[in-house]
């Protein structure tokens, strides 16, 4: 977990940016002027960037200071909303103002909350934060005392968050992401390219859209790190909602599975039936549904849209679904199963394009309804991309258009 500045100091910086005055900020955040001056100086030193220009008229924010204050405001808004949601869950009451709680909560307490949520025990949380277990326990209990309700509950497996705790945990994680994005933007404005973009990748984007986009992006930002995470859609979506990945790329889901995400279609990808090149059906002039029904298949798991599309081929014509099925999600495994047997599979034309071009696999043509899947990106609804992330998104859109050709 990266170093997150003191919340009150962050709010002080934001107030100085908005008011242009340390004295005015002092009255708002209840910190002395020397304390604010020292906090600004310490943060500028740690960031190796000037956030303000000191003049006789006051404090004028630099471009870096303005960008960082914007992220601070978003982070504080996220925490405030998390506090309000947690209070509503715990007490069944809606508070008009949560500023009192926001002033009394510390960065240390929120980091402890997040670490316990991730580690599911005070022992593991202390390892994550590299502090003593007693420090984590004390910070956690102080947070509960400040809010006045339970955040942590003992279970047979360790420590779990209450529903109120989970709401504040999510808000805190998103706030920490905002601060991290703010630091990235300050570095970029100071000609230091050290950003990290974390991408959740589903199968349909692994072989076509994402590789070309990453290669092109890296030419413009060679020092920016790209972290690609594979996994089931449900897990990746959860990581996205908690700010642990920035962008999710792959087949979109309809209806949209959550109200706090936004989907954007980049291109449509047609499904095709595939076999090994010398498969008996590959030699037939015409293949019908009965041929497909009598074949063995490699298919996606039962809960996926791809599986439903496979089953629709038969059920929409009143036919039984083939029963000789192997379920597999790994494209490499699917390919090897096809090459070593008479099995068929249903995959996106883009997903398998290279194998078709190299002649390893062949499309089976049959007289049936065309199927296509919308491929695109998913982000959090209130996510605000940095300039580096925006460049990556624009490349995704541009390369997505190329996929339609």
């Amino acid at each position: 977990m990266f170093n997150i500045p003191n919340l009150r100091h962050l709010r002080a910086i934001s107030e100085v940016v908005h008011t242009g005055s340390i004295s005015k900020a002092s009255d708002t955040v209840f910190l002395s002027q020397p304390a604010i001056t020292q906090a600004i100086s310490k943060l500028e030193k740690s960031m190796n960037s000037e956030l303000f220009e000191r003049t006789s008229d006051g404090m004028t924010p630099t471009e870096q200071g303005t960008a960082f204050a914007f992220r601070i405001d978003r982070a504080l808004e996220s925490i405030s909303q998390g506090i309000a949601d947690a209070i509503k869950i715990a007490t069944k009451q809606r508070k008009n103002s949560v500023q009192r709680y926001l002033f009394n909560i510390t960065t240390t307490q929120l980091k402890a909350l997040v670490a316990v949520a991730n580690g599911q025990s005070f022992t593991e949380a202390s390892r994550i934060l590299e502090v003593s277990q007693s420090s984590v326990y004390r910070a956690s209990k102080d947070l509960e005392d400040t809010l006045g309700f339970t955040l942590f509950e003992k279970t047979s497996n360790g420590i779990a968050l209450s529903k109120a705790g989970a709401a504040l945990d999510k808000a805190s994680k998103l706030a920490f992401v905002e601060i991290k994005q703010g630091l990235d933007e300050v570095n970029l404005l100071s000609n230091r390219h050290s950003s990290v973009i974390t991408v959740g990748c589903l199968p349909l984007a692994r072989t076509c859209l994402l590789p070309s986009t990453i290669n092109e992006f890296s030419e413009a930002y060679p020092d920016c790190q790209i972290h690609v995470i594979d996994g089931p859609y449900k897990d990746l979506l959860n990581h996205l909602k908690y700010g642990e990945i920035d962008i999710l790329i792959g087949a979109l889901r309809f209806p949209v599975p959550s109200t706090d995400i936004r989907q954007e279609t980049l291109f449509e990808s047609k499904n095709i039936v595939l076999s090994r090149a010398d498969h008996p059906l590959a030699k037939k002039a015409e293949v019908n549904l009965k041929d497909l029904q009598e074949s063995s298949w490699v298919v996606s798991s039962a809960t996926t849209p791809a599986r439903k599309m496979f089953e629709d081929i038969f059920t929409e014509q009143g036919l039984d679904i083939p029963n000789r099925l192997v379920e597999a999600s790994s494209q490499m495994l699917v390919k090897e199963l096809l090459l070593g047997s008479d099995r068929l599979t249903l995959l996106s034309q883009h997903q398998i394009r290279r194998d078709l071009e190299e002649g390893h696999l062949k499309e089976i043509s049959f007289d049936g309804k065309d199927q296509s899947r919308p491929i695109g990106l998913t982000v959090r609804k209130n996510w605000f991309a940095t300039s580096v992330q925006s460049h990556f998104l624009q490349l995704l859109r541009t390369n997505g258009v190329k996929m339609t050709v």
Side-chain angles (χ1 to χ4, degrees):
M1 193 178 297
F2 68 94
N3 186 30
I4 303 159
N6 180 293
L7 281 181
R8 185 168 289 189
H9 290 171
L10 289 176
R11 182 166 183 176
I13 289 171
S14 174
E15 288 297 328
V16 174
V17 167
H18 294 312
T19 64
S21 166
I22 289 180
S23 61
K24 291 179 181 178
S26 176
D27 294 336
T28 303
V29 299
F30 306 111
L31 283 174
S32 67
Q33 294 184 41
I36 295 177
T37 301
Q38 184 178 9
I40 292 173
S41 178
K42 182 179 179 181
L43 191 56
E44 286 180 326
K45 185 177 180 180
S46 69
M47 298 169 69
N48 194 25
S49 297
E50 289 191 356
L51 301 178
F52 298 93
E53 294 178 358
R54 281 77 170 171
T55 67
S56 57
D57 296 329
M59 303 279 281
T60 302
T62 61
E63 193 176 3
Q64 289 91 329
T66 300
F68 193 50
F70 172 75
R71 293 294 176 178
I72 291 173
D73 291 344
R74 285 177 60 85
L76 293 174
E77 175 59 31
S78 179
I79 295 171
S80 297
Q81 186 60 54
I83 294 171
D85 291 342
I87 291 172
K88 183 179 179 181
I89 292 169
T91 67
K92 311 301 181 186
Q93 296 178 354
R94 186 185 297 273
K95 294 287 185 180
N96 293 327
S97 175
V98 297
Q99 294 304 307
R100 175 174 65 87
Y101 300 98
L102 188 61
F103 271 115
N104 292 319
I105 287 175
T106 67
T107 299
T108 299
Q109 292 169 353
L110 295 182
K111 287 173 67 175
L113 173 72
V114 170
V116 173
N118 291 343
Q120 298 185 329
S121 74
F122 292 115
T123 302
E124 182 61 17
S126 68
R127 187 196 66 77
I128 293 171
L129 296 175
E130 298 181 343
V131 298
S132 68
Q133 182 175 333
S134 60
S135 296
V136 176
Y137 182 81
R138 183 169 57 254
S140 301
K141 291 304 177 184
D142 287 345
L143 181 58
E144 285 187 322
D145 291 342
T146 297
L147 294 172
F149 49 80
T150 300
L151 299 172
F152 308 92
E153 298 174 343
K154 289 184 178 181
T155 69
S156 57
N157 296 322
I159 301 294
L161 296 185
S162 65
K163 290 183 178 180
L168 185 55
D169 168 59
K170 181 179 179 180
S172 299
K173 287 177 176 175
L174 295 178
F176 293 168
V177 169
E178 291 290 344
I179 298 302
K180 176 63 169 61
Q181 288 182 296
L183 295 172
D184 286 347
E185 289 182 311
V186 168
N187 282 329
L188 184 64
L189 291 168
S190 302
N191 294 316
R192 295 188 298 270
H193 302 268
S194 58
S195 300
V196 176
I197 299 178
T198 306
V199 180
C201 184
L202 295 166
L204 283 173
R206 291 174 193 162
T207 55
C208 56
L209 179 62
L210 191 56
S212 59
T213 300
I214 290 176
N215 287 335
E216 190 174 350
F217 174 81
S218 296
E219 292 179 5
Y221 295 95
D223 296 322
C224 180
Q225 298 182 44
I226 305 290
H227 294 174
V228 179
I229 301 176
D230 297 327
Y233 177 81
K234 185 177 180 181
D235 291 348
L236 293 178
L237 182 63
N238 191 58
H239 287 310
L240 177 77
K241 293 166 70 173
Y242 276 77
E244 295 158 348
I245 63 176
D246 302 308
I247 308 163
L248 176 56
I249 305 173
L252 303 181
R253 266 57 174 176
F254 294 99
V256 179
S258 178
T259 59
D260 55 353
I261 62 170
R262 175 173 57 83
Q263 296 187 148
E264 178 181 339
T265 299
L266 299 177
F267 63 97
E268 295 279 339
S269 186
K270 180 184 175 183
N271 279 347
I272 56 177
V273 177
L274 294 156
S275 72
R276 58 184 171 86
D278 57 347
H279 191 286
L281 291 182
K283 301 172 185 178
K284 291 187 64 171
E286 293 185 10
V287 174
N288 56 42
L289 280 175
K290 190 173 187 300
D291 293 323
L292 300 184
Q293 187 186 33
E294 293 175 350
S295 297
S296 300
W297 288 79
V298 185
V299 296
S300 301
S301 62
T303 58
T304 62
R307 177 63 170 273
K308 183 179 185 305
M309 296 181 83
F310 161 74
E311 294 177 353
D312 286 347
I313 292 174
F314 305 97
T315 58
E316 289 183 353
Q317 299 300 319
L319 299 176
D320 292 333
I321 299 167
N323 54 25
R324 287 179 291 172
L325 306 178
V326 173
E327 289 188 5
S329 59
S330 165
Q331 186 170 323
M332 184 176 295
L333 176 58
V334 172
K335 176 183 173 182
E336 292 302 319
L337 287 170
L338 294 187
L339 293 177
S341 72
D342 284 341
R343 293 185 175 92
L344 305 175
T345 195
L346 184 72
L347 288 175
S348 156
Q349 64 184 115
H350 293 94
Q351 187 176 353
I352 209 73
R353 182 176 58 185
R354 187 176 296 275
D355 288 298
L356 288 171
E357 292 172 350
E358 295 176 352
H360 301 306
L361 301 176
K362 185 173 181 179
E363 179 180 357
I364 300 292
S365 297
F366 74 101
D367 186 18
K369 185 180 78 173
D370 284 345
Q371 291 183 333
S372 63
R373 303 182 65 182
I375 312 303
L377 57 89
T378 304
V379 297
R380 295 185 299 279
K381 187 170 286 186
N382 66 345
W383 183 60
F384 193 94
T386 65
S387 58
V388 174
Q389 291 167 339
S390 294
H391 184 76
F392 188 79
L393 286 173
Q394 189 54 50
L395 286 178
L396 285 172
R397 295 182 178 109
T398 300
N399 290 332
V401 171
K402 294 177 183 178
M403 294 294 171
T404 62
V405 179

